[in-house]
Amino acid sequence: MASTGKVAIVTGSATGLGATCAIDLAEKGWNIAINYTKSKKEADETYAAVTAKGVEAILVQANMGEDADCRRLAAETMKKWGRIDGLINNAGTTKFQAQGDLEGVTPEDFDIIFRVNVTGPYMMSRAVYPAMKKQWEEKQERGSIVHVSSIAGVMGIGSSIPYGCSKGALNTLTLALARQLAPAVRVNTICPGFIQTRWLLGGLGEENYNKLKESQEQSAPLRQAGTTEQMAEAALFFLTSASNITGEFLIVDAGTHLGMLPMKPR
């Protein structure tokens, strides 16, 4: 598809959900700023997949926990295209904590996780806001920001306590930014449940990952374990379609938040 001229930044887009969002947006004709911290090889692969869709892309190595890097990512995007229409704040981090092991995370873990998962999306939103505000004032073209939160921020579950707390804070940040950046920018959030990703597999280990995946497929109301494609579909709905929606959270977890159903017989 030929480029529409629209531009999006997708943080943490070398792998997983971020990569899927970047590729799916490219399929819709958006030019993409691909961001990575360490995964250069995977970022190159995402770049190739994005540009194969007939659009333009740039690769920017930047740490989303550093304000200077956030501002540089926005600046390099503006230098390339002169506009920013969308931002998906996907980059995140965690530390895996065993159930009941309160000594398993430290105050420093809280600092790092909140820095990337909460302060990072704030800094990135702040970095792109001037461009989006200018487009609104000059062309009545409204920007769109989507945060990638988690069901952990709604239910207090997940890989660790600080991770769940950070995602709850990110949900609150969504409300605050939706108020403060209106009417120039819409701000919304998706809250994924289980997603089949290398990141989760690496954190849980193969045995625990497979057990959790099977549990989702057997007892989640929709009887399925989420994919990056399903999560990206929700993120792109907010980014590209939901023109009259701001300040909303969308839980995307196969209905897990409703309560697990009895396991299906084998």
Side-chain angles (χ1 to χ4, degrees):
M1 179 176 181
S3 173
T4 63
K6 290 194 172 183
V7 175
I9 297 171
V10 184
T11 69
S13 45
T15 62
L17 174 54
T20 302
C21 286
I23 294 166
D24 288 358
L25 270 173
E27 182 73 34
K28 291 179 177 291
W30 286 56
N31 300 316
I32 308 295
I34 299 164
N35 159 250
Y36 70 101
T37 304
K38 298 177 181 178
S39 305
K40 177 64 164 63
K41 177 178 179 295
E42 291 85 351
D44 286 338
E45 292 170 355
T46 302
Y47 178 89
V50 164
T51 54
K53 302 295 183 182
V55 301
E56 296 179 335
I58 57 173
L59 274 177
V60 183
Q61 183 177 19
N63 181 346
M64 293 298 97
E66 297 295 332
D67 186 46
D69 279 14
C70 292
R71 293 181 187 273
R72 178 169 55 81
L73 174 54
E76 292 192 23
T77 303
M78 286 295 292
K79 181 179 179 181
K80 173 66 176 178
W81 292 293
R83 62 185 296 132
I84 301 172
D85 301 277
L87 166 66
I88 298 181
N89 278 315
N90 169 72
T93 191
T94 192
K95 179 178 182 180
F96 286 82
Q97 174 187 18
Q99 181 72 26
D101 179 18
L102 298 186
E103 299 295 338
V105 292
T106 66
E108 290 73 26
D109 293 325
F110 272 86
D111 292 342
I112 293 169
I113 291 169
F114 268 73
R115 181 76 179 177
V116 175
N117 293 1
V118 185
T119 311
Y122 173 78
M123 293 187 297
M124 269 309 307
S125 299
R126 180 174 62 184
V128 303
Y129 178 57
M132 291 183 175
K133 183 180 180 184
K134 185 171 185 284
Q135 286 164 213
W136 172 253
E137 291 173 344
E138 294 182 355
K139 303 177 182 179
Q140 293 291 286
E141 294 178 357
R142 181 175 282 121
S144 180
I145 295 173
V146 179
H147 301 313
V148 177
S149 181
S150 170
I151 190 64
V154 178
M155 297 183 67
I157 58 177
S159 52
S160 66
I161 290 173
Y163 178 78
C165 291
S166 74
K167 294 302 187 178
L170 182 57
N171 293 345
T172 302
L173 178 66
T174 301
L175 298 175
L177 289 177
R179 287 190 175 95
Q180 297 215 11
L181 305 190
V185 183
R186 296 185 299 107
V187 186
N188 295 289
T189 289
I190 65 167
C191 298
F194 179 92
I195 315 177
Q196 299 176 61
T197 60
R198 185 186 70 179
W199 179 80
L200 188 59
L201 174 62
L204 292 175
E206 186 173 0
E207 182 178 357
N208 288 331
Y209 174 89
N210 288 334
K211 286 180 179 178
L212 183 55
K213 180 175 180 289
E214 182 180 12
S215 174
Q216 288 287 308
E217 294 169 340
Q218 292 288 313
S219 61
L222 294 186
R223 308 292 195 187
Q224 61 187 14
T227 65
T228 60
E229 289 77 13
Q230 290 169 329
M231 306 306 148
E233 182 180 41
L236 267 59
F237 163 71
F238 275 142
L239 193 79
T240 67
S241 301
S243 62
N244 198 38
I245 301 177
T246 194
E248 284 293 335
F249 320 132
L250 182 60
I251 297 175
V252 193
D253 71 343
T256 302
H257 66 285
L258 302 173
M260 302 295 272
L261 300 178
M263 299 284 280
K264 291 192 294 185
R266 293 181 180 278

